[in-house]
Amino acid sequence: MRAVTWQGKRNVSVEEVPDPRIEQPTDAIVKITSTNICGSDLHLYETLGPFMDRGDVLGHEPMGIVEEVGSEVGDLKVGDRVVLPFQISCGHCWMCSRGLYTQCETTQVRDQGSGAALFGYSKLYGQVAGGQAEYLRVPQAQFTHIKVPEGPADDRFVYLSDVLPTAWQAVAYADCPADGTLLVLGLGPIGDMACRIALHAEPGRKVIGVDLVPERLERARSRGVEVIDLSEHGDDLLEVVQGMTSGRGADAVIDAVGLDAHGSPSAKFAQTLAGLLPDAVAQPVFKTAGVDKLAAFYSAIELVRRGGTISLSGVYGGTADPLPMLTLFDKQIQLRMGQANVKRWVPDILPLLTDADPLGVDTFATHHLPLEEAPHAYEIFQKKQDGCVKVVLHP
Ligand SMILES: NC(=O)c1ccc[n+]([C@@H]2O[C@H](COP(=O)([O-])OP(=O)(O)OC[C@H]3O[C@@H](n4cnc5c(N)ncnc54)[C@H](O)[C@@H]3O)[C@@H](O)[C@H]2O)c1
Ligand SMILES: [Zn+2]
Ligand SMILES: [Zn+2]
C-alpha cells in the first residue's frame, strides 16, 4: 500500500510499504478514506526526530471503512464506518474504566515511561504505524473506534479523531466561568476549535485569541473571537490583555501552541543539538534537557489572572524546562494538561455534528489533497503558506 513516511527533519515521502494484516484477535484493518495532518505531526517533522526511524508511517487522525476484523473485536463489523481515536486504548483496564484513555494500562509504552500507545507518534508512543496510509491496523479495535453513521461527508466526523475532543478537553480543563474571559494562545486547528466550542457553550462569553498568522486571526475573528496579533503586540501583550480584562488578566488560558512556539530563542540550541546527535545519544539529551520552546507557556503564566487556570493542550517534551515556580505559586495558578481522552468526550460532541453544524466542521479544512501530495501538504502547513490551516488527505 501507499503510506506517508518520515524520512528526516522536514522530510516526508509517500512510499510503498507492506499491507498491514491482522496480528492479534483484537485487531481490525481499516481502509482509510480521509486522514488529517495535525500540528502534532509538525513536532515530529521538526523537533522529535531522535525518536523516529526512517520509514515510520505517520498519521493519527484517520477514518474509513472496516475491511477485516480479528475474532475478538466485539460488535465491530466489516463495512462499519469508523473514526479512529489517536490513542490506542482497551476500554476495560483500571485507567480506561475511569475515562483516562490516554493512560490505558493495556497499551502504556512502559519502556519509554509513556502513557497509552498512539498511532504514528514515534518510539515514545510505541512506534505504531500511523493512519496517513491506504490501510491501518487498529490494535484494541474492540474499543479503539468510533462508529459514525452513513450519509454526511467524512469532514463531518473526521475531527472526532483528535481536534474536537482535544479542543473540548482544553475548554473543559480551562473551567472558565460563564461570565469570565477565556484567552486562547495559538489559533491553529486546536486553538480555533477551542474558541468555537467555548463560544458555543456560552455565546456571551469573552474569548480572546492570540496568534501571528493573518488568516488564522481572521478565521477566529469571523466567528466572534477578539483577536490579538502577536506580530504587533509581542512586547506589550500583557498590557493589551490587562486592558481587556479590568487589569486582572484572563480567568483561564488555553495554550494551544506547544513545544515549537514562536519567539523562544533559548531552547533552539538544545533542540538543534539533539537533532544533530545520533539517536542513541540524542534521546537521553532530549529527555533530560530543557528542550521546549516555552514562549507560549510563559505567556500563559503571565496572562492568566491570580487564582486562574491554565489548560495546556500544546504538547511539551522536556524534563528539565525552567519554570517560574515563584510566579506559579504566588499567583495560585491551577494547571491542567495532557493528551485528550478522546472517547471520554465523544458523547458530548456528537450532538453538535448535526446538519446545522454549529462548530463549522464541514468547512474547517482549508485543503483537501490526495495522499500522494503529503510532502507538499506538510510543507505548506508548517510554513503557513497558501492559507493552510488544516489539511485532509485522501488515499
Ligand atoms: N493534547 C492533545 O491531545 C493534543 C492533540 C492535538 C494537538 N495537540 C497539540 O496542540 C498544539 C496545537 O496544535 P495545532 O494542530 O493547532 O497546531 P498548529 O501548529 O497549526 O498551531 C499552533 C499555532 O500557534 C501559533 N503560535 C506559535 N507561537 C505562538 C506564540 N508564542 N503565541 C501564540 N501563538 C503562537 C502558530 O502561529 C500556530 O497558528 C500542538 O502543540 C499540538 O501538538 C495536542
Ligand atoms: Zn492530531
Ligand atoms: Zn485500557
Side-chain angles (χ1 to χ4, degrees):
M1 67 165 183
R2 306 288 291 169
V4 181
T5 62
W6 185 93
Q7 296 293 336
K9 186 169 180 172
R10 279 175 236 155
N11 183 4
V12 303
S13 66
V14 183
E15 303 289 339
E16 202 72 29
V17 305
D19 287 346
R21 36 181 202 83
I22 301 278
E23 294 172 17
Q24 301 290 330
T26 46
D27 287 354
I29 304 293
V30 175
K31 182 177 168 49
I32 302 304
T33 52
S34 292
T35 183
N36 310 330
I37 304 177
C38 177
S40 297
D41 294 323
L42 295 182
H43 301 319
L44 305 177
Y45 192 65
E46 183 67 36
T47 305
L48 295 175
F51 300 98
M52 300 294 287
D53 284 337
R54 280 186 75 168
D56 280 351
V57 178
L58 295 163
H60 61 265
E61 301 193 3
M63 70 176 288
I65 308 292
V66 178
E67 174 96 359
E68 203 183 331
V69 289
S71 56
E72 294 172 25
V73 295
D75 64 356
L76 191 66
K77 293 187 302 298
V78 171
D80 283 343
R81 187 184 196 201
V82 290
V83 177
L84 289 322
F86 68 85
Q87 66 235 211
I88 302 167
S89 52
C90 74
H92 55 69
C93 70
W94 194 93
M95 288 291 175
C96 284
S97 62
R98 284 157 181 79
L100 292 165
Y101 305 121
T102 61
Q103 313 302 326
C104 174
E105 290 178 342
T106 305
T107 74
Q108 269 180 20
V109 184
R110 292 187 171 80
D111 61 346
Q112 295 288 335
S114 301
L118 309 179
F119 288 110
Y121 217 74
S122 84
K123 291 173 194 163
L124 286 172
Y125 289 101
Q127 205 168 28
V128 182
Q132 288 165 8
E134 289 182 285
Y135 294 92
L136 176 67
R137 179 175 82 91
V138 180
Q140 301 296 328
Q142 76 287 350
F143 188 75
T144 305
H145 70 265
I146 301 158
K147 284 191 199 184
V148 294
E150 301 295 335
D154 281 4
D155 288 53
R156 182 70 61 84
F157 301 116
V158 72
Y159 306 108
L160 284 169
S161 56
D162 185 340
V163 173
L164 285 165
T166 297
W168 195 279
Q169 178 168 303
V171 173
Y173 282 8
D175 199 19
C176 184
D179 59 353
T181 299
L182 174 68
L183 185 132
V184 179
L185 292 168
L187 296 171
I190 301 298
D192 183 342
M193 188 57 80
C195 292
R196 295 182 189 202
I197 289 168
L199 283 169
H200 182 266
E202 294 293 341
R205 173 186 281 169
K206 190 199 265 297
V207 177
I208 303 172
V210 182
D211 204 302
L212 55 163
V213 181
E215 307 84 50
R216 296 178 181 218
L217 291 163
E218 190 44 46
R219 242 164 94 104
R221 191 202 324 267
S222 73
R223 297 191 68 101
V225 177
E226 297 181 36
V227 298
I228 303 174
D229 185 345
L230 195 64
S231 64
E232 284 168 21
H233 294 289
D235 296 330
D236 63 349
L237 185 61
L238 178 62
E239 288 79 4
V240 173
V241 171
Q242 283 175 338
M244 297 166 84
T245 56
S246 313
R248 290 195 188 91
D251 297 280
V253 176
I254 292 174
D255 173 349
V257 181
L259 63 85
D260 286 307
H262 172 88
S264 323
S266 57
K268 186 124 184 96
F269 174 70
Q271 284 189 358
T272 308
L273 179 70
L276 293 174
L277 296 169
D279 287 359
V281 184
Q283 286 175 10
V285 169
F286 198 99
K287 278 195 174 175
T288 52
V291 291
D292 294 315
K293 297 201 233 162
L294 288 164
F297 186 35
Y298 287 161
S299 308
I301 294 168
E302 211 174 25
L303 301 175
V304 73
R305 70 156 160 79
R306 290 179 176 276
T309 305
I310 297 176
S311 168
L312 288 183
S313 23
V315 167
Y316 288 96
T319 55
D321 289 321
L323 289 183
M325 286 310 296
L326 173 69
T327 310
L328 280 164
F329 187 83
D330 178 63
K331 284 183 76 175
Q332 203 177 335
I333 290 171
Q334 308 175 62
L335 259 181
R336 299 187 75 187
M337 64 187 94
Q339 307 274 12
N341 300 300
V342 171
K343 289 187 73 170
R344 161 77 179 78
W345 310 107
V346 166
D348 295 310
I349 298 166
L350 271 177
L352 300 181
L353 303 182
T354 56
D355 283 343
D357 190 19
L359 299 177
V361 292
D362 285 349
T363 53
F364 194 70
T366 50
H367 292 69
H368 287 91
L369 294 169
L371 188 78
E372 295 295 325
E373 285 185 38
H376 168 69
Y378 269 79
E379 189 179 351
I380 58 170
F381 180 45
Q382 190 199 34
K383 293 184 176 163
K384 282 119 182 135
Q385 290 169 342
D386 195 23
C388 185
V389 182
K390 190 72 181 175
V391 184
V392 185
L393 298 171
H394 301 282

